[in-house]
Amino acid sequence: MRAWRVRAPGPMSTGPLVECSEPVPRPAAGELLVRVRACGVCRTDLHVAEGDLPVHRPGVVPGHEVVGEVLAGSRSDRFVPGDRVGIAWIRGTCGTCRYCTSGAENLCPGSTYTGWDADGGYAEFATVDAAYAHRLPGGYSDGELAPLLCAGIIGYRALRRADVPAGGRLGIYGFGASAHLAAQAALARGATVHVMTRSATARELALELGAASAQGATEAPPEPLDSAILFAPVGTLVPPALEALDRGGTLAIAGIHLSDVPALNYQRHLFLERELRSVTANTRADATEFLDLAATKRFRLHTTSYPLSEADTALADLAADRVTGAAVLVA
């Protein structure tokens, strides 16, 4: 099969990804063998390729927004050959620690991740533990489903962590794949959404999707915010996002990696019971809730498709902010 591996993490200009030809993986006990139909290109893949995240598996195949067809594997009553299935970021947990047993498996110290600890979807075939595979809603193409499996799920968890009140005012900083789905979920709940992003094209998309305003990344929204989500991995945006919050507001940081945050001024940024929260992966329950929502509410997916042979180009375009919405590798 064809696959892309991270040869040596570094800037995309150094060519960290290399295309390989290698045997189709064999599913272990309890795993499914999946023919990859589409795989989203996520900013986390970029962090893995460029070395922002520490190496967990040398030469890993990135990709954790995988839509595929079950070919063989686990004798599970959940999936049979021919089923369309999703493979997401969280790949395994211990199942016995206090986090797993309390519904917070995303905090499990023994958790493993697709495209970081194990090979992912930048390939023609992949494997997944049947217990961590996802049923997918109908009414979407393979390319539309792929971004739902991380961008959508993480955006949904970030929305929950931001604690947006009913009919509240939500600010979104950065407007890529995850943000454009979280915005739609928030609008469906009756929130007023304000978008702050440096991309003029992304601002146009935000307004098209129903945002009340769209301005530059460091500009103030037109009204105080009840909640905000920082999707851009830019620590210097934390102070203006906190300052934009109304009394008792909450800022959730959705990325797995963030550049350094500058010094905060207590009175300007944190006083009046403003809260600052991080978002760490997701639980399978989050995924199920969001995919159920996607089955009842038709999300508009703005995607740019690339063939698998151009995975390095897709990731380079993402790094250079040349992608509006989500980038997807399509078989």
Side-chain angles (χ1 to χ4, degrees), residues 54-92:
V55 174
H56 278 196
R57 176 182 172 88
V60 73
V61 175
H64 56 275
E65 298 179 342
V66 183
V67 176
E69 176 189 353
V70 175
L71 296 182
S74 170
R75 294 180 181 176
S76 166
D77 57 3
R78 294 187 66 222
F79 300 102
V80 297
D83 282 351
R84 188 161 66 165
V85 68
I87 304 175
W89 176 235
I90 192 165
R91 187 179 184 89

Side-chain angles (χ1 to χ4, degrees), residues 175 195 202-214:
F175 204 71
V195 170
R203 291 195 292 270
E204 292 176 6
L205 176 60
L207 294 173
E208 180 185 333
L209 291 174
S213 75

Side-chain angles (χ1 to χ4, degrees), residues 176-204:
S178 195
H180 93 292
L181 291 167
Q184 293 179 68
L187 289 166
R189 294 179 170 185
T192 298
V193 175
H194 299 287
V195 170
M196 279 63 69
T197 181
R198 65 183 181 179
S199 166
T201 304
R203 291 195 292 270
E204 292 176 6

Side-chain angles (χ1 to χ4, degrees), residues 19-69:
E19 190 174 17
C20 310
S21 178
E22 50 191 76
V24 173
R26 292 185 177 182
E31 289 187 339
L32 306 171
L33 174 64
V34 174
R35 185 192 304 276
V36 177
R37 292 179 176 178
C39 182
V41 179
C42 178
R43 190 160 290 274
T44 299
D45 302 335
L46 184 62
H47 293 320
V48 169
E50 294 198 317
D52 296 323
L53 296 179
V55 174
H56 278 196
R57 176 182 172 88
V60 73
V61 175
H64 56 275
E65 298 179 342
V66 183
V67 176
E69 176 189 353

Side-chain angles (χ1 to χ4, degrees), residues 174-323:
F175 204 71
S178 195
H180 93 292
L181 291 167
Q184 293 179 68
L187 289 166
R189 294 179 170 185
T192 298
V193 175
H194 299 287
V195 170
M196 279 63 69
T197 181
R198 65 183 181 179
S199 166
T201 304
R203 291 195 292 270
E204 292 176 6
L205 176 60
L207 294 173
E208 180 185 333
L209 291 174
S213 75
Q215 42 272 314
T218 59
E219 294 181 50
E223 61 180 335
L225 305 172
D226 297 302
S227 306
I229 304 173
L230 175 58
F231 286 103
V234 182
T236 54
L237 292 179
V238 171
L242 284 169
E243 194 167 358
L245 293 176
D246 205 347
R247 296 164 181 250
T250 300
L251 170 63
I253 299 176
I256 191 174
H257 170 78
L258 187 72
S259 60
D260 289 345
V261 178
L264 300 177
N265 179 281
Y266 180 69
Q267 296 295 329
R268 288 172 56 195
H269 303 131
L270 290 172
F271 193 54
L272 300 174
E273 298 195 351
R274 297 182 179 98
E275 293 188 42
L276 178 61
R277 298 177 175 179
S278 65
V279 178
T280 300
N282 63 272
T283 66
R284 282 172 287 175
D286 293 327
T288 298
E289 286 180 21
F290 175 73
L291 293 172
D292 285 347
L293 175 63
T296 58
K297 174 193 164 38
R298 184 60 166 82
F299 285 100
R300 291 177 59 188
L301 277 296
H302 192 286
T303 62
T304 302
S305 297
Y306 299 80
L308 178 61
S309 59
E310 295 180 10
D312 54 346
T313 301
L315 209 53
D317 285 350
L318 184 65
D321 286 334
R322 291 190 290 264
V323 176

